[in-house]
Amino acid sequence: MSRETRRFVWSLLISIGLIYTVLEPRHVPFMWTYLISPYLPFWLDKPLAVLAWFSLAWTAASGFELFLWRRLYGQSLSGVPRQRKLFTDLFNVMLYVAAAGIVAVEVFDQAPTGLFATSGIVVIILGFALQQLLGDIFAGVALNLERPFKAGDWITMDGTQGIVLMTNWRSTHLRTRTMDLMVVPNAVIGRAKLINHSQPQLRHLDSVEVPLQYGFDEAVLRQMLKDAALTVDGVLSDPAPIILLHEMRPVTMLWRIYFFTDNFAALVIMKGAILNAAYSALRSSDLAVYLPRNETILHLDAPGAAIQGS
């Protein structure tokens, strides 16, 4: 038996012990038998009743975490906050709110109708005061249920790329490619155009552009650019890179090297390395003369030619 399981069993025994040994029957009306201790003073009645109900709520929360949530969502990764924390925290809050309501009605003899009316007014006031915050919270709940991304996924949101660090009640934390922390309210994410680069698979397709002048052998160029791309770490050989003509311009042709990788984090470095490998391969071959360049032709006339022509 693990340490967490033993702790849960002990908390369950303590909760049952509180109910059966120290509480009066009016605090647990659904119980049929009671073992009330005659040695406890009367002033401990209500404090122990409150302790018993919240102990039951804590035990229930621990039991759901141990036997249900971990089986549904799995263990959290070391150093990566789990996204399911938002849903489980909301469930735990509901358990404690329910325990507080039972304590108010059963222990402190509050009327249920008055309790509901008071709580309704409080909810309305808090709703207006915390409208933006509640919007972020409910958006976070929706994100957790839909699960468009999880911690460790690379995403692009409105043109900004980053890796997901965590999702909490109010916001989602991203680490951008510049190694900065970006905190985005969940309501903003719910309205944004989102691309997940880690789902449904890690393999990602990207490309780089190579401009060349006209006149070369296309078969030789395709093989040369493909071989150059395969020399870069992270570029997959299966599927192999694809070399395609993208655009024909007045002076140059624009070629694209499409390549696959399963390491999106190193994509920027790989694209630079592919361009460097392609340039090195072209420069050291007969195709070097087709690399784009700017040429200026100067025509020198003999002295006095312009004057004589006029």
Side-chain angles (χ1 to χ4, degrees), residues 129-138 169-170:
L130 305 175
Q131 184 175 2
Q132 184 63 44
L133 179 60
L134 291 175
D136 293 333
I137 291 175
F138 283 111
W169 287 95
R170 191 193 70 85

Side-chain angles (χ1 to χ4, degrees), residues 53-54 56-58 61 89-105 115-116 119 123 126 169:
W53 283 114
F54 281 100
L56 276 176
W58 185 86
D89 284 352
L90 181 62
F91 180 81
N92 293 341
V93 168
M94 293 174 61
L95 283 178
Y96 288 113
V97 168
I102 295 175
V103 167
V105 174
L115 181 65
F116 291 146
S119 61
V123 168
L126 290 178
W169 287 95

Side-chain angles (χ1 to χ4, degrees), residues 166-241:
M166 65 172 294
T167 297
N168 56 29
W169 287 95
R170 191 193 70 85
S171 61
T172 295
H173 294 197
L174 306 176
R175 189 180 69 233
T176 64
R177 286 202 177 274
T178 56
M179 304 303 292
D180 299 317
L181 176 64
M182 181 177 178
V183 180
V184 187
N186 289 328
V188 174
I189 297 180
R191 297 188 300 267
K193 181 179 179 180
L194 188 72
I195 301 176
N196 191 333
H197 301 286
S198 302
Q199 299 292 337
Q201 59 184 2
L202 292 177
R203 189 169 58 189
H204 174 75
L205 174 66
D206 216 304
S207 65
V208 295
E209 296 181 347
V210 178
L212 292 171
Q213 295 181 353
Y214 291 89
F216 51 83
D217 188 342
E218 295 184 3
V220 175
L221 174 70
R222 293 177 189 272
Q223 188 62 43
M224 184 178 300
L225 294 181
K226 179 179 179 180
D227 294 340
L230 289 174
T231 62
V232 177
D233 291 338
V235 176
L236 300 179
S237 58
D238 185 18

Side-chain angles (χ1 to χ4, degrees), residues 276-289:
N276 184 71
Y279 174 68
S280 298
L282 291 170
R283 188 183 57 180
S284 60
S285 68
D286 296 337
L287 299 181
V289 296

Side-chain angles (χ1 to χ4, degrees), residues 100-132:
I102 295 175
V103 167
V105 174
E106 297 294 341
V107 179
F108 295 100
D109 299 323
Q110 298 294 321
T113 55
L115 181 65
F116 291 146
T118 303
S119 61
I121 295 174
V122 172
V123 168
I124 293 175
I125 295 175
L126 290 178
F128 281 108
L130 305 175
Q131 184 175 2
Q132 184 63 44

Side-chain angles (χ1 to χ4, degrees), residues 6-306:
R6 289 196 300 268
R7 186 172 60 182
F8 169 75
V9 171
W10 276 111
S11 65
L12 182 61
L13 292 176
I14 291 173
S15 299
I16 295 175
L18 284 171
I19 291 177
Y20 276 96
T21 60
V22 301
L23 298 186
E24 292 185 358
R26 65 186 180 88
H27 294 154
V28 279
F30 52 84
M31 296 291 184
W32 289 94
T33 57
Y34 307 92
L35 299 175
I36 304 172
S37 174
Y39 305 106
L40 294 175
F42 179 76
W43 59 270
L44 282 177
D45 179 30
K46 289 185 177 180
L48 289 175
V50 173
L51 179 62
W53 283 114
F54 281 100
S55 174
L56 276 176
W58 185 86
T59 302
S62 301
F64 274 97
E65 169 67 22
L66 190 60
F67 300 109
L68 182 61
W69 306 134
R70 292 188 181 181
R71 295 179 184 274
L72 291 178
Y73 297 101
Q75 293 279 6
S76 60
L77 299 176
S78 177
V80 180
R82 58 196 180 202
Q83 193 180 15
R84 69 180 173 93
K85 180 174 172 58
L86 182 64
F87 179 76
T88 55
D89 284 352
L90 181 62
F91 180 81
N92 293 341
V93 168
M94 293 174 61
L95 283 178
Y96 288 113
V97 168
I102 295 175
V103 167
V105 174
E106 297 294 341
V107 179
F108 295 100
D109 299 323
Q110 298 294 321
T113 55
L115 181 65
F116 291 146
T118 303
S119 61
I121 295 174
V122 172
V123 168
I124 293 175
I125 295 175
L126 290 178
F128 281 108
L130 305 175
Q131 184 175 2
Q132 184 63 44
L133 179 60
L134 291 175
D136 293 333
I137 291 175
F138 283 111
V141 173
L143 288 175
N144 189 73
L145 293 176
E146 186 180 359
R147 297 178 65 85
F149 55 79
K150 64 181 184 300
D153 286 353
W154 276 92
I155 65 173
T156 297
M157 185 185 63
D158 290 338
T160 301
Q161 284 186 357
I163 185 173
V164 179
L165 299 180
M166 65 172 294
T167 297
N168 56 29
W169 287 95
R170 191 193 70 85
S171 61
T172 295
H173 294 197
L174 306 176
R175 189 180 69 233
T176 64
R177 286 202 177 274
T178 56
M179 304 303 292
D180 299 317
L181 176 64
M182 181 177 178
V183 180
V184 187
N186 289 328
V188 174
I189 297 180
R191 297 188 300 267
K193 181 179 179 180
L194 188 72
I195 301 176
N196 191 333
H197 301 286
S198 302
Q199 299 292 337
Q201 59 184 2
L202 292 177
R203 189 169 58 189
H204 174 75
L205 174 66
D206 216 304
S207 65
V208 295
E209 296 181 347
V210 178
L212 292 171
Q213 295 181 353
Y214 291 89
F216 51 83
D217 188 342
E218 295 184 3
V220 175
L221 174 70
R222 293 177 189 272
Q223 188 62 43
M224 184 178 300
L225 294 181
K226 179 179 179 180
D227 294 340
L230 289 174
T231 62
V232 177
D233 291 338
V235 176
L236 300 179
S237 58
D238 185 18
I242 303 171
I243 315 300
L244 294 176
L245 175 61
H246 177 66
E247 185 179 350
M248 299 180 67
R249 297 175 177 176
V251 179
T252 60
M253 307 171 68
L254 189 62
W255 290 80
R256 278 189 178 179
I257 305 175
Y258 291 91
F259 64 96
F260 294 86
T261 181
D262 54 8
N263 186 8
F264 189 83
L267 183 63
V268 175
I269 298 176
M270 280 190 291
K271 293 174 73 171
I274 292 173
L275 285 175
N276 184 71
Y279 174 68
S280 298
L282 291 170
R283 188 183 57 180
S284 60
S285 68
D286 296 337
L287 299 181
V289 296
Y290 299 103
L291 289 171
R293 60 178 57 86
N294 292 324
E295 296 181 349
T296 302
I297 300 176
L298 299 177
H299 181 71
L300 298 178
D301 292 332

